[in-house]
Amino acid sequence: MDIKKVGVLGAGTMGAGIAQVCAESGFETVVVDIEEAILQKALAGIGKSWQKAVDKGKIDDAAKAAREKLISFSTEIASFKDCDLVIEAIAEQITIKQKVFKEMDGVCPSHTILATNTSALSITEIAAATSRADRIAGMHFFNPVTAMKLVEVVPGTATSEATKETIVTFTKSIKKEPVIAKETPGFIVNRILNSLIIEAAFAYQEGIASAEEIDKAMKLGAGLPMGPLALADLVGLDIALHVSEYFYNEFNDPKYRPPIVLKQKVRAGDLGVKTGKGFFDYSK
Ligand code: NAI
């Protein structure tokens, strides 16, 4: 199927980035959020980014104006009525996602594919709230969307081959690289990153080396751009703990058990970069 018009539900961190890359690739894009202020913030952020591209000579004024013409903002889900694909990026809660998918199912034409940017929820469970489970799939982007090349394409149990193919083609057309992943907790990237983070935290807990040395070793010895403990601090230790507990419960496998040091840091309020202290001190 040919995608001409794209809808993005949610104009927060991920939705604004997704809308930006769609418009940059020439797709007519409508962004919907319940909060007018968030839409204004997204509009300002995208505009600033495009102005920067003009200032750096990457695009000219005409190209910027063409992009601006392609993107529109609304607080009404009904604005998706002529979209061929809608990508949802709202709160990570199954009841909220099911509610909006049901609404979108009622508003969108029968051919419209509805995708979710969920990091962990079941695509099949979201699809069950609609009458078009064959046209529902996961499209998992990475933060920041404008810089990160990967999209994990995640079919649910009822997703059709045609839907999968359309999403793969669309992903390439917005200059991202698709990888198809089965519907399992964390898909590929977050599952493996979680293991890296908790293993680094166990090494720290066992006193194998200091946080600085663990991260230095993984950067210089494994070629990682960032050490796993610094990554955990950046993600937020509360989120890292939550993800680890989620995998532990979902897989029922002790290999995902969170290290006590992670729990202790969270209980102490040391959540990483956002609180100024985690495995490293950011207060100075
Ligand atoms: P966010 O909190 O920055 O943005 C969510 C937006 O959805 C808010 O602007 C909110 O007003 C809006 N919203 C909430 N309910 C709505 C409704 N019923 N209708 C319309 N708009 C509604 O969240 P963020 O970080 O962008 O995450 C969105 C989704 O993307 C979540 O499912 C998250 O798990 C996933 N994700 C997040 C990543 C990240 O690094 N932040 C990475 C990959 C996926």
Side-chain angles (χ1 to χ4, degrees), residues 12-14 33-34 38 89-90 92 97 117 119 140-141 143:
T13 310
M14 297 303 287
D33 200 290
I34 35 171
I38 302 263
I90 65 162
E92 186 77 339
K97 297 232 197 252
N117 186 43
S119 303
H140 186 226
F141 290 78
N143 188 13

